[in-house]
Amino acid sequence: SKLIKMVYPSMFTLAFFSAILVSSAHLVPGALALSTSATPLTETKWSLLLDVGLQPGTWMPKRFPGWAESGARLPLDIKVEFTNEPFDQRETLVGPKDSTFRLKVCNDDGISTYVSEKGQQEVQFTDGGWCIQRPTANIRNAEGSLVKPEGLLKFWLDCPSGAKKRDAEIFAGTRIFFTTGVWDDPPGLEMMETEYERVVDELQGIVDSTRDIRKANEDNESGNVLNRLTDFRTLVGSSQEFDRLVSNKEALERASPPMGAAKASNGVKIAPTGSLVIKGNKIPDWLPGSEYLILGTFSTKALEA
């Protein structure tokens, strides 16, 4: 079997997004918020599948005793469109106002339905804002791994009605913040995938060549000393090239979408999972003591525009 496997790791874990969201109310270190009006993400539509409930590391039960302690989950489905319309609000967690655009709720009247112990219930969401932050360097996630997504997609929606299933609850009037990874340069993605395949093929070639040289030396231990020296030099050179290729491979993996990323018809990809947080108090972001609490996770599915 081949020794070099072409595998894109699932780098966008909940821990990664949770760490980014709760560690700072400002722009992610190593990231720069840019104007997003030209991105092909605009005018694409997506289904957001929310999973509200207890997550590792959340302080929700400490701030709101009893919250979701039964293990109940509150699933919600929201359809949204990323527009290029400048938004009249801003959130420090999401990005500057001149880079924030309207996130349009596409559900009829903003209403989504779910089933609780009381039967079918309705929940209302209203438009929010979105922004893409562009990492300019590797970002270390909560697990200690370095990743470099093409963009950090950050947005919010308001839930004026609130929603509740047993003790898992979104309180009325809550602003929910979302963050996930986005890859909005489809031609660049294709080039990166081609380069990744080339690097993997070259690595496999070095592995096969090294195996053949070592086997030949083992079969001819008393062979010509000059030939053995030449083989040694070849192995040393191959080792240096192998290290260079491995470094390239790891860099490509850090920049690649994880397995299961949702893909729009125009080639834009969004990471399969992201994190939900809410403000834990009313202290402004720019003052000490402001906090965000992990509300749950969400996944995405591309819709026809």
Side-chain angles (χ1 to χ4, degrees):
S1 61
K2 287 183 176 288
L3 297 182
I4 306 298
K5 295 184 179 179
M6 193 162 59
V7 177
Y8 290 86
S10 296
M11 60 190 72
F12 283 95
T13 61
L14 171 62
F16 171 50
F17 292 115
S18 299
I20 289 175
L21 280 165
V22 301
S23 65
S24 174
H26 304 282
L27 296 184
V28 178
L32 176 66
L34 301 178
S35 174
T36 48
S37 59
T39 172
L41 179 66
T42 58
E43 312 309 330
T44 61
K45 295 182 178 180
W46 304 79
S47 176
L48 309 177
L49 307 175
L50 280 63
D51 180 24
V52 175
L54 283 180
Q55 296 296 144
T58 184
W59 279 34
M60 285 291 289
K62 296 181 181 179
R63 292 290 181 266
F64 308 100
W67 188 87
E69 287 186 340
S70 70
R73 313 297 300 185
L74 174 58
L76 301 170
D77 185 356
I78 313 167
K79 295 176 176 59
V80 299
E81 178 182 354
F82 291 90
T83 78
N84 60 3
E85 176 188 348
F87 203 46
D88 59 1
Q89 300 179 42
R90 61 154 293 181
E91 283 286 350
T92 305
L93 186 65
V94 173
K97 187 175 180 179
D98 60 2
S99 296
T100 300
F101 299 84
R102 181 179 297 276
L103 180 66
K104 180 182 177 181
V105 176
C106 299
N107 300 55
D108 293 339
D109 297 322
I111 300 297
S112 178
T113 60
Y114 66 99
V115 178
S116 74
E117 67 278 10
K118 297 180 180 180
Q120 182 168 295
Q121 305 291 313
E122 291 187 346
V123 54
Q124 184 180 31
F125 291 92
T126 58
D127 294 357
W130 69 275
C131 179
I132 296 177
Q133 296 180 16
R134 303 290 183 185
T136 57
N138 291 328
I139 299 170
R140 190 172 297 280
N141 65 19
E143 297 173 344
S145 301
L146 290 173
V147 295
K148 189 181 180 184
E150 193 169 288
L152 292 175
L153 176 59
K154 312 189 86 171
F155 54 95
W156 79 83
L157 291 171
D158 290 328
C159 183
S161 65
K164 185 175 182 179
K165 183 174 182 180
R166 295 168 60 188
D167 52 5
E169 182 176 5
I170 298 174
F171 303 112
T174 294
R175 175 161 289 184
I176 304 173
F177 296 88
F178 301 67
T179 193
T180 190
V182 65
W183 291 261
D184 56 343
D185 178 15
L189 267 180
E190 291 181 4
M191 292 176 60
M192 186 164 58
E193 290 171 1
T194 299
E195 175 65 8
Y196 187 82
E197 292 173 359
R198 183 193 67 79
V199 169
V200 168
D201 287 343
E202 289 193 18
L203 280 169
Q204 189 62 52
I206 292 176
V207 169
D208 294 341
S209 176
T210 301
R211 184 191 298 114
D212 292 342
I213 291 174
R214 286 176 173 170
K215 185 176 187 305
N217 285 336
E218 290 172 359
D219 293 342
N220 188 23
E221 292 185 359
S222 60
N224 184 284
V225 173
L226 182 59
N227 289 340
R228 292 172 62 83
L229 181 59
T230 300
D231 290 342
F232 175 75
R233 288 173 176 169
T234 300
L235 289 175
V236 171
S238 295
S239 174
Q240 294 173 342
E241 178 65 5
F242 185 87
D243 290 343
R244 185 187 70 82
L245 289 170
V246 166
S247 178
N248 289 348
K249 176 175 176 286
E250 291 174 348
L252 288 167
E253 288 174 343
R254 286 193 294 269
S256 299
M259 297 293 290
K263 183 178 180 180
S265 58
N266 65 356
V268 172
K269 290 186 177 183
I270 293 181
T273 59
S275 185
L276 305 171
V277 301
I278 63 172
K279 290 184 177 180
N281 54 37
K282 295 184 179 180
I283 299 175
D285 292 340
W286 48 273
L287 287 177
S290 64
E291 66 177 7
Y292 290 83
L293 306 176
I294 302 171
L295 184 72
T297 64
F298 74 99
S299 59
T300 55
K301 179 182 178 182
L303 303 174
E304 291 297 325

